[in-house]
Amino acid sequence: NKKAFVELLFWKNPVAIYEMTKGYSSLQEGEGATRSRVHPWTPQEEQELRELYWKYKEVEGEDVIAAILVHLPTPGRTRRQVVKQLVRM
């Protein structure tokens, strides 16, 4: 492909990089982006997140997100996921 150099300038994620270097369709089923899908937030989880945010947002000298992660009933959520969801809400 004569225009592949343009694609090299605009990598989007590690899966795209892997496919560009190893060949397109080189990922097998269940690898890459499909394996790392984030479970969507349920309405109950959103409500719990909202309540925890309002509970810990005014605490002096404490990281709000760290406090939420400790008390979040759903294990496995990352700091980034919590921040992203709070911004979205």
Side-chain angles (χ1 to χ4, degrees), residues 46-59 64-65 68 82 86 89:
E46 287 181 355
Q47 181 62 32
E48 184 69 28
L49 182 62
R50 188 176 290 113
E51 290 171 6
L52 288 170
Y53 173 74
W54 286 108
K55 182 177 179 180
Y56 292 109
K57 78 175 195 141
E58 300 287 332
V59 176
V64 176
I65 304 302
I68 290 173
V82 170
L86 284 171
M89 291 180 355

Side-chain angles (χ1 to χ4, degrees), residues 12-71:
K12 297 193 185 299
N13 58 36
V15 174
I17 295 169
Y18 183 83
E19 285 187 332
M20 288 170 60
T21 57
K22 301 295 182 185
Y24 293 101
S25 301
S26 60
L27 288 176
Q28 299 300 319
E29 195 69 31
E31 292 181 1
T34 57
R35 186 182 62 197
S36 64
R37 283 210 176 129
V38 177
H39 297 290
W41 290 80
T42 64
Q44 295 83 11
E45 290 174 331
E46 287 181 355
Q47 181 62 32
E48 184 69 28
L49 182 62
R50 188 176 290 113
E51 290 171 6
L52 288 170
Y53 173 74
W54 286 108
K55 182 177 179 180
Y56 292 109
K57 78 175 195 141
E58 300 287 332
V59 176
E60 288 285 328
E62 187 173 342
D63 183 16
V64 176
I65 304 302
I68 290 173
L69 283 171
V70 169
H71 294 94

